[in-house]
Amino acid sequence: MKVVTVVGARPQFIKASVVSAALAEAGCREVLVHTGQHYDANMSDVFFEELGIPRPAYQLGVGSGTHGRQTGEMLIKIEDVILEEKPRIVLVYGDTNSTLAGALAASKMHIPVAHVEAGLRSYNRRMPEEQNRVLTDHISRWLFCPTQTAVENLKKEGLTRGVCRSGDVMLDSVLHFLEVAKELPGKSDIFDTLGIIPGEYRLATLHRAETTECGLSAIRQIFAAFEQLPEKVVLPIHPRTRALAQEAIAEGGFDNILLIDPVGYLEMLLLTSSAKQVLTDSGGLQKEAWFLHVPCVTLRGETEWVETLRGGWNVLAKLETEDIVQKALSTVPDESVRAEAPFGDGHAAQAIARELTQGEISF
């Protein structure tokens, strides 16, 4: 059975690493398509090298652009790949423009779509990610839900056929690659390189469109909060946020922020697992913090991962200095809630491969 898998962004490379291995074990032939949505070497190439993912059969090189232009160019190029490869299934991940473009191209050509991470909802339709995930869910044949909450979200929208609570493939990745990271020689050197001590720093990321679209004023508010925290804040800077961050630091004198280039997934796992706290607007990092027993402050008004809010392991904060500081310093997580294991048992990739190879391919 041939599967065309469409990826384009950093989190999708990580998810694909474990699912691709499971598909290969199940006897599937996978054709990997990289749209080029993330094209910076630190956001793309390094992941294929570190995670042992086969090089993409197709590199579409779409790059950045407005949402409509980027999605449209991807749609055209993915359609050409499907015409060439004639797969039985097109597999997409998450909620990026690459996700929607892959799903639309397949659906228009009557190729069944499998959506990994289906059913997530922030209920904020201003988010491009929310638009992408809702549209993708409604044209997918297989809906692989990481949690029971995601299953219930789909049920509210009348989607019950093809729904599978697979568990979260990111948990699979974290459990596997954290051990890999610990065993690789030299990987732990990142702490010495950055001049930080495990457990005595906070880790932050900023990249969401709703953060950057608020402009320099929002970055100033966030950085002013970071400046008031008792530990150094390590901030691997996303290309989208770099200019704003550098401008804020240049004019504001924020000495408590250690701005660094993006790091590979293995180094990011080491930084996350050893952080005192995570502060982020990223959906994926919220979960990784949960998996690694690290408290998190989410710099957004809502989260798709409501399970992480249980017991105060993740708290939401406005993009305002006072609220961020208050949430960062006052929240004490409850260890007992972790026994519920809402994200599965770490074998989601095998569940997905099993459903795709054994399930009936029809609408």
Side-chain angles (χ1 to χ4, degrees), residues 188-201:
S188 60
D189 292 350
I190 190 170
F191 300 106
D192 294 333
T193 301
L194 297 178
I196 56 177
I197 299 172
E200 297 184 14
Y201 64 90

Side-chain angles (χ1 to χ4, degrees), residues 15 18-19 91-93 114-120 142-151 154 162-172 287 305 341-356:
K15 296 163 193 170
V18 290
V19 176
L91 177 65
V92 297
Y93 293 87
H115 185 199
V116 176
E117 250 181 30
L120 303 186
W142 287 275
L143 296 143
F144 293 111
C145 297
T147 65
Q148 185 59 34
T149 302
V151 173
L154 292 177
V163 174
C164 171
R165 182 182 173 184
S166 59
D168 197 319
V169 294
M170 287 297 288
L171 177 57
D172 298 28
K287 285 190 300 173
W305 302 106
F343 297 99
D345 60 3
H347 295 92
Q350 288 84 356
I352 290 167
R354 184 168 57 250
E355 286 291 323
L356 292 180

Side-chain angles (χ1 to χ4, degrees), residues 323-336:
D323 196 47
I324 296 170
V325 172
Q326 191 272 328
K327 298 291 175 53
L329 296 181
S330 67
T331 306
V332 179
D334 178 3
E335 185 70 32
S336 66

Side-chain angles (χ1 to χ4, degrees), residues 112-164:
V113 178
H115 185 199
V116 176
E117 250 181 30
L120 303 186
R121 296 294 183 267
S122 68
Y123 297 103
N124 177 3
R125 288 293 178 92
R126 291 183 59 83
M127 291 175 58
E129 295 87 354
E130 182 78 353
Q131 298 167 18
N132 291 340
R133 63 175 71 107
V134 171
L135 292 169
T136 299
D137 281 342
H138 281 264
I139 56 176
S140 292
R141 166 64 179 83
W142 287 275
L143 296 143
F144 293 111
C145 297
T147 65
Q148 185 59 34
T149 302
V151 173
E152 296 302 322
N153 289 340
L154 292 177
K155 187 175 181 180
K156 292 173 187 175
E157 297 173 18
L159 297 176
T160 55
R161 186 180 180 192
V163 174
C164 171

Side-chain angles (χ1 to χ4, degrees), residues 15-71:
K15 296 163 193 170
S17 66
V18 290
V19 176
S20 294
L23 289 174
E25 289 175 5
C28 293
R29 180 188 169 197
E30 184 182 32
V31 178
L32 194 64
V33 179
H34 183 353
T35 65
Q37 183 170 341
H38 278 178
Y39 49 88
D40 182 278
N42 285 337
M43 300 294 290
S44 176
D45 295 349
V46 67
F47 288 89
F48 291 94
E49 295 165 7
E50 285 192 335
L51 306 185
I53 310 172
R55 286 287 170 179
Y58 295 86
Q59 168 55 269
L60 305 185
V62 172
S64 58
T66 64
H67 287 292
R69 183 179 297 275
Q70 187 183 64
T71 306

